[in-house]
């Protein structure tokens, strides 16, 4: 059976797992990485810190496992970008993180092309995606080297190759959703037409080889972190959906093999391409989930995320939160929105604010679920959930209450690396069907709605009014 070193390089940390063909984890190493939040809505990371975290966690997991590794895979942040020298591999800028909003002026300058971007790429013209940030680097930081998403730089450091994967490319605003190839007219609009572009690989491709973690190992099965979690949670059929509760919360729904565009304000992109057949997904984003919890911690309302359920009140006492610390995504696409707390009185305490923030996260997820239902033509029947914040029973119950459906919690904290590992197996064993590469699972916890449909509708209406006040 294929043994995989699967590395999840995320916004707040890097995780490496060694997993065998049955899904058993043989080795695990994690390392925190911290984004730097700058004035003017800037969010950056140190490229060398990210690379070091990949190398150190990968080596530690391999050592812990004592296993012979057949293939390495990396799941990446998707829309985080940097400039770098393709000759030396040296970074020429910091990583500009997906949360960064400094490219708003670039998107505003292209507003007349909004429908063109939507029809060709399936995406909304917004600084969240990678091309606006790449253009921002070219205008404000450096014209030297190449400017790519973080995966291309990390893979180059490991293999010397200049590639990206199809799911990452589809998050750029410069990839045609139907052909899954670079769209040179859209690149020209961002003034990126003369850039050297990485080769777009299917999800089941071998990208190269590396000896960075010990002996010589293949590298392949590359994918964006959120799509990797969609795969791990076995969302292989149209309409099956998951939400990952990490730094942000990301709800993705499988939309099958047709490149369908959203009519409800969601992003449409490639989930994965296996055996030359793309599978697509709709996705919606809550920009601040765990990062909103870190705000609660920084303000002294909780000492750590583990205290959320201990501190949270049974009722918010009328307090509502719109935790738009980095703006709002679908369906509002309002980067200028700011976080808000309303309905406070002299009797409001930390317990009410903690619950209100958790309910605000849940309300955004519920809005995304409604958008998916509009697009696919039928309500979601269940939602699969993963990520660190699924440990909060209060948050998960709020999601179930507001969505009025059952929430199935994935039994592992490692959905992203396990999904990437499934693709790595298929890359190394092309005859292996994708569904056979995914490890079967059963929920660790199921949350059923406790609120009535009327309660949920009343809360969502009040919360929607609070959202309108932030825009």
């Amino acid at each position: 059976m294929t043994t995989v070193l699967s590395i999840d390089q995320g916004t707040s940390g890097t995780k490496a797992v060694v997993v065998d063909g049955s899904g058993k984890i043989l080795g695990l190493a994690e390392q925190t990485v911290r984004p730097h939040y700058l004035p003017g809505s800037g969010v950056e990371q140190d490229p060398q810190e990210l690379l070091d975290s990949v190398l150190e966690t990968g080596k530690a997991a391999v050592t812990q496992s004592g296993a012979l590794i057949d293939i390495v895979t990396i799941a990446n942040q998707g829309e985080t970008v940097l400039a770098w020298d393709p000759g030396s591999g040296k970074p020429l800028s910091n990583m500009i993180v997906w949360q960064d909003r400094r490219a708003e002026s670039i998107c505003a300058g292209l507003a007349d092309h909004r429908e063109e971007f939507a029809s060709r790429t399936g995406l909304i013209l917004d600084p969240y995606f990678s091309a606006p940030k790449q253009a921002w680097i070219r205008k404000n930081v450096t014209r030297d080297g190449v400017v790519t998403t973080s995966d291309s730089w990390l893979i180059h450091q490991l293999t010397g190759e200049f590639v990206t994967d199809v799911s990452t490319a589809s998050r750029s605003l410069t990839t045609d959703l139907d052909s899954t190839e670079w769209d040179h007219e859209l690149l020209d609009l961002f003034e990126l037409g003369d850039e050297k572009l990485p080769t777009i690989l299917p999800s089941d491709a071998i990208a190269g080889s590396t000896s960075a973690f010990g002996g010589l190992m293949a590298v392949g099965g590359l994918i964006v972190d959120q799509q990797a979690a969609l795969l791990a949670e076995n969302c292989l059929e149209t309409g099956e959906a998951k939400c990952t509760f990490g730094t942000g919360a990301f709800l993705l729904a499988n939309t099958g093999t047709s490149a369908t565009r959203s009519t409800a304000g969601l992003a449409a992109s490639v989930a994965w391409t296996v055996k030359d057949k793309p599978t697509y997904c709709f996705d919606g984003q809550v920009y601040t989930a765990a990062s909103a919890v870190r705000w609660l911690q920084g303000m002294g309302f909780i000492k750590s995320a583990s205290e959320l359920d201990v501190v949270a009140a049974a009722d918010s006492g009328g307090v509502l939160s719109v935790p738009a610390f980095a703006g709002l995504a679908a369906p509002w696409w309002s980067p200028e929105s700011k976080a808000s707390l309303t309905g406070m009185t002299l009797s409001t305490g930390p317990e009410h604010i903690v619950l209100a923030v958790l309910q605000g996260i849940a309300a955004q997820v519920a809005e995304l679920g409604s958008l998916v239902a509009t697009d696919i033509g039928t309500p979601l029947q269940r939602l699969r959930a993963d990520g660190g914040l699924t440990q909060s029973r209060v948050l998960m119950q709020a999601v179930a209450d507001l969505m009025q459906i059952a929430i199935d919690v994935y039994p592992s904290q490692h959905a992203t690396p396990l999904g990437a590992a499934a693709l790595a197996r298929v890359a190394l064993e092309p005859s292996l069907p994708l569904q056979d590469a995914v490890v079967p699972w059963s929920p660790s916890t199921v949350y059923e709605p406790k609120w009535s449909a009327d309660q949920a509708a009343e809360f969502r209406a009040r919360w929607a009014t609070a959202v309108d006040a932030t825009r």
Side-chain angles (χ1 to χ4, degrees), residues 79 97-108 110-111 113-114 117-118 121-134 171-174 190 265 267 285 287 326-337:
E79 304 84 13
V97 179
W98 56 269
Q99 290 175 313
D100 192 288
R101 310 302 298 176
R102 289 175 292 181
E104 286 174 19
S105 61
I106 289 172
C107 292
L110 293 171
H113 298 277
R114 185 176 299 273
F117 281 110
T121 72
L123 305 179
I124 310 299
L125 179 60
D126 188 84
Y128 170 66
F129 300 108
S130 52
K133 293 192 286 292
Q134 290 170 290
R171 310 293 296 167
S172 66
L173 279 168
T174 54
F190 283 109
Q285 310 82 27
Y287 289 146
L328 292 167
W332 308 278
W333 294 105
S334 178
E336 71 279 1
S337 290

Side-chain angles (χ1 to χ4, degrees), residues 1-6 15-28 65 67 70 231-232 410-425 429 432 434-442:
M1 294 188 293
T2 301
T3 301
V4 182
L5 169 60
S6 185
K15 176 189 296 181
V17 301
V18 174
V19 56
D20 68 14
S22 68
K24 181 180 179 181
I25 292 177
L26 307 177
L28 168 66
S65 73
D70 298 302
L231 179 58
Y410 190 69
S412 169
Q413 292 299 309
H414 315 305
T416 292
L418 290 175
L423 286 174
R425 292 187 196 103
E429 305 174 49
L432 180 67
L434 182 60
Q435 62 268 26
D436 292 349
V438 179
V439 177
W441 63 280
S442 298

